[in-house]
Amino acid sequence: MSSRPACLAEAIEEFLSYQQGVRCLSANTLAGYGNDLGKLAAFLDGQRPLDSITKEDLRYCMGELTMQGAAASSVNRFVAAVRSLFAYCRRFDYIQKDPALEIHTVKQPKQLPKFMTASEVQELCTAPEKNSLLWEARDKALFQMFYSSGCRVAEMAGLTLEDFSQDFSSAMVRGKGGKDRRVFFTPTASTALKEYLPQRQQKLLRFGNDGASQPVRALFLNNHGGALTTRGIRYILSRYSGVEGTNNPVSPHAFRHTFATALLSNGADVRMVQEMLGHSSISTTQRYTHITTAQLVKTYNQAHPHGGTERQTPSVACDDGNSGD
C-alpha cells in the first residue's frame, strides 16, 4: 500500500489486489467480491471519498438491490463484501469509523440443500451408458467421481493425474482458500476412471497435446483435447440430467449435497464429513443433517430402552404445500 486511496473506487481496487496477492483467494471468490463492490461503487459514485460514506448510504444500497429484485441471499452476499471492504479500510486507518458495522443482513428463508435419492444417483451415473450423448467413458468416470468424493466442480476440473494415489483410490484437491485436502473414490469410481484414461491418452495424441511443450495436465478433457472447464462440466451434466437423459435437472453441486447427506444418514460423524467436504465451519456441514423420518424412528428404536422393532414409521401429512426439500 504505497499511498492512501483517495476514493471508493481506489479502495476497492486495492482491496481486491490484497485479496488476490496476499490472501490468495480463488478466482470465483474474487469475481464475487468484484461484482458486489462494483455495485457499491455504482450506487454511491466511485469517486466519492471513503470517509464520507455512512451507514445510511449502505442501507440505501441494500434497498436499491431489493428494488431491483435481488434475492435475500444476493443482498446478504453484498453486505458481506461491503463489510470486508470497510473492515480492511479501517484496519489500515483509511477511515476512522466503520459504517458497515451498523448494517445487518436480511432474513432469508432456510433452504435445505438439494440432493438426489439413491435411485436418482444410479440413474444419472448410468446415463452415459444408456444415452450416447457426448463421451461415455469420460462422463461415466466424471459422475462416479463426483458422487464418491463430494468434490466441488472447480476441484474436479482442477484434478491432474499427479494428484492421485497409485491405485486411484484417492487424490489431493485444492479447495477454497487454497486449502488442500484428500478426497476418496469408491472402487466403482476408480474402475470408471481407469477405463477412461486410455481414451484420454488417445485424445491427447490425436490433437497433438501429448508431446507439446506445455502438455495438458487436466484429468478431464473436452472433445478437442483441451482441459475441461467448470462450464464444460455443467454443460455435460445439463445434457444428461435434462430432457435427453433423466429429465431431472441437477447441478454439479447436487452430487456434493448427496455425498454429504449419504454419509450423515449412514452414521458418519459430522466433523469427519466436515473434513471430507473441506468446510471451514461446522455449521455449514450441519445443513446436511436433514435425516428422514424413517431413519429417525430407526435410531430411536435402537437407542431408547423402551424402543422396539415393532414401532412403525409414522405417516406424514404433506398437504400444506411445503413438503419439498
Side-chain angles (χ1 to χ4, degrees):
M1 278 71 71
S2 57
S3 62
R4 182 184 297 268
C7 61
L8 175 60
E10 290 185 8
I12 292 173
E13 182 179 0
E14 182 183 301
F15 170 78
L16 294 175
S17 296
Y18 176 85
Q19 301 302 323
Q20 180 179 32
V22 178
R23 296 193 61 202
C24 300
L25 297 186
S26 69
N28 287 340
T29 302
L30 287 170
Y33 270 130
N35 180 58
D36 287 321
L37 296 177
K39 293 175 182 176
L40 176 68
F43 288 140
L44 298 183
D45 181 2
Q47 300 306 308
R48 184 167 173 176
L50 279 173
D51 56 11
S52 71
I53 297 174
T54 65
K55 64 181 180 182
E56 287 76 17
D57 292 322
L58 300 181
R59 288 170 179 166
Y60 160 78
C61 295
M62 293 172 63
E64 285 295 303
L65 284 174
T66 302
M67 291 292 290
Q68 292 177 4
S73 58
S74 298
V75 175
N76 288 341
R77 190 189 63 226
F78 171 83
V79 170
V82 169
R83 285 176 175 171
S84 295
L85 170 67
F86 282 96
Y88 170 87
C89 292
R90 181 69 189 91
R91 175 185 175 188
F92 291 104
D93 292 324
Y94 295 160
I95 53 177
Q96 295 302 308
K97 184 179 179 181
D98 184 348
L101 291 176
E102 299 184 65
I103 62 171
H104 304 285
T105 55
V106 298
K107 187 175 182 179
Q108 60 186 92
K110 291 184 178 180
Q111 292 184 337
L112 293 177
K114 181 178 181 180
F115 65 100
M116 293 178 279
T117 65
S119 60
E120 289 171 340
V121 172
Q122 176 66 15
E123 184 181 19
L124 184 54
C125 286
T126 57
E129 302 174 52
K130 298 176 180 178
N131 304 297
S132 301
L133 295 176
L134 299 168
W135 183 351
E136 178 184 327
R138 177 200 63 188
D139 303 337
K140 179 180 176 181
L142 181 65
F143 294 169
Q144 290 287 356
M145 290 173 65
F146 261 129
Y147 178 49
S148 68
S149 68
C151 279
R152 301 178 177 93
V153 63
E155 295 167 349
M156 191 65 72
L159 278 173
T160 69
L161 287 176
E162 291 81 6
D163 296 324
F164 284 83
S165 61
Q166 189 172 5
D167 61 355
F168 296 102
S169 64
S170 68
M172 293 296 294
V173 298
R174 177 62 57 90
K176 285 186 175 181
K179 296 178 182 178
D180 292 335
R181 76 178 190 283
R182 184 166 293 279
V183 297
F184 302 92
F185 304 102
T186 63
T188 300
S190 298
T191 298
L193 175 58
K194 292 173 185 176
E195 292 173 352
Y196 157 68
L197 290 179
Q199 296 186 24
R200 174 186 182 275
Q201 184 64 21
Q202 292 173 7
K203 184 76 71 172
L204 289 174
L205 291 172
R206 177 183 174 187
F207 286 94
N209 291 323
D210 186 52
S213 57
Q214 291 185 328
V216 176
R217 298 178 63 242
L219 172 65
F220 288 108
L221 306 180
N222 59 33
N223 285 327
H224 301 289
L228 187 63
T229 64
T230 57
R231 183 176 180 180
I233 291 175
R234 291 190 177 93
Y235 171 75
I236 291 169
L237 186 53
S238 72
R239 291 287 300 275
Y240 286 105
S241 66
V243 293
E244 299 170 282
T246 65
N247 201 27
N248 180 29
V250 293
S251 70
H253 222 63
F255 277 113
R256 183 168 164 87
H257 296 327
T258 305
F259 168 83
T261 302
L263 290 179
L264 291 168
S265 297
N266 286 285
D269 181 80
V270 67
R271 292 200 176 274
M272 296 299 294
V273 178
Q274 177 190 4
E275 287 292 321
M276 285 186 273
L277 291 172
H279 286 157
S280 58
S281 171
I282 190 69
S283 62
T284 306
T285 314
Q286 287 172 333
R287 293 183 306 154
Y288 297 104
T289 55
H290 44 71
I291 311 301
T292 66
T293 302
Q295 290 165 324
L296 287 173
V297 170
K298 181 179 179 181
T299 301
Y300 175 88
N301 289 336
Q302 292 174 341
H304 196 280
H306 292 175
T309 55
E310 73 280 0
R311 186 182 300 274
Q312 300 297 312
T313 301
S315 59
V316 180
C318 297
D319 59 357
D320 60 357
N322 196 30
S323 60
D325 282 333

